[in-house]
Amino acid sequence: MGKKPKDPLEIKVNWRYRTILIVDNVQDNFEILKAALAPTHAKIEYARSGLEGMRKCIESKRIDVVLLDVDLPDIKALDAARNLKLIREDVVIIGQSVFLATASRSECLASGMDEFFIKPINPNELIALIRAALIKRDKRV
C-alpha cells in the first residue's frame, strides 16, 4: 500500500530566519496572530498603524512577510500595499480583515498583496497560507 500524502496543514515549518510584521491597529488582533505564528519560530514585529508599518518595512530588509490589516484608520491598505511593492518588491504582503467592507479580495490582490484572509483564521491555515505565498514568490520555506 502506498504512503499517504501529508496534509498540508500538518506540515511543520521552522522560520527562525524569517521576520513577520503584523500591521494592525487593534492590540488584541496582534496578540492572536502572534500566538498563531508562535509554532513557526519566526521573529514577530508589530506596527500599530499603516504608516508605522510602511516605515518599519522600508527601514528593515529583514522583514519577509507583512500581515496588513485592510481596515487601518491612518492610510488605505491598498495604497500602503502599492507603495510597499514599489519600494520592497521582494516582501510578501498578505491582507487581513474581519470583513470585506473596504476592498474586495480582487482589489487587494490587484494592489500588490500576495494573498488575503478573513479573520479569525485557524492557525494551521494561516501558516499554510503564508507558506504558499512564500512558495509562489520563490522564497525558501
Side-chain angles (χ1 to χ4, degrees), residues 111-127:
S111 75
M113 293 182 196
D114 296 279
E115 196 47 79
F116 181 85
F117 69 90
I118 302 287
K119 298 181 270 191
I121 187 170
N122 172 293
N124 289 327
E125 291 174 353
L126 176 60
I127 293 166

Side-chain angles (χ1 to χ4, degrees), residues 9-134:
L9 297 181
E10 292 180 11
I11 295 173
K12 302 289 183 230
V13 296
N14 185 349
W15 290 337
R16 290 185 194 280
Y17 55 90
R18 293 258 179 242
T19 301
I20 299 172
L21 173 64
I22 299 171
V23 182
D24 200 309
N25 61 313
V26 179
Q27 177 81 30
D28 288 345
N29 291 341
F30 164 71
E31 296 297 337
I32 290 166
L33 290 170
K34 181 180 176 184
L37 294 169
T40 70
H41 306 288
K43 180 179 181 195
I44 307 297
E45 293 191 15
Y46 178 48
R48 295 179 194 278
S49 72
L51 294 173
E52 179 187 359
M54 288 179 63
R55 181 186 53 75
K56 283 186 171 199
C57 196
I58 291 166
E59 290 174 358
S60 175
K61 299 293 183 198
R62 292 184 334 256
I63 295 172
D64 303 291
V65 177
V66 177
L67 299 182
L68 180 63
D69 184 22
V70 173
D71 303 309
L72 294 168
D74 65 332
I75 188 172
K76 292 181 181 177
L78 300 179
D79 293 337
R82 278 187 203 95
N83 290 332
L84 272 177
K85 284 293 185 167
L86 288 173
I87 299 163
R88 289 278 317 274
E89 175 182 320
D90 64 310
V91 73
V92 171
I93 302 174
I94 299 176
Q96 48 150 332
S97 183
V98 174
F99 54 92
L100 275 180
T102 307
S104 70
R105 183 182 193 317
S106 61
E107 287 175 311
C108 290
L109 298 178
S111 75
M113 293 182 196
D114 296 279
E115 196 47 79
F116 181 85
F117 69 90
I118 302 287
K119 298 181 270 191
I121 187 170
N122 172 293
N124 289 327
E125 291 174 353
L126 176 60
I127 293 166
L129 182 79
I130 294 170
R131 185 176 185 276
L134 288 166

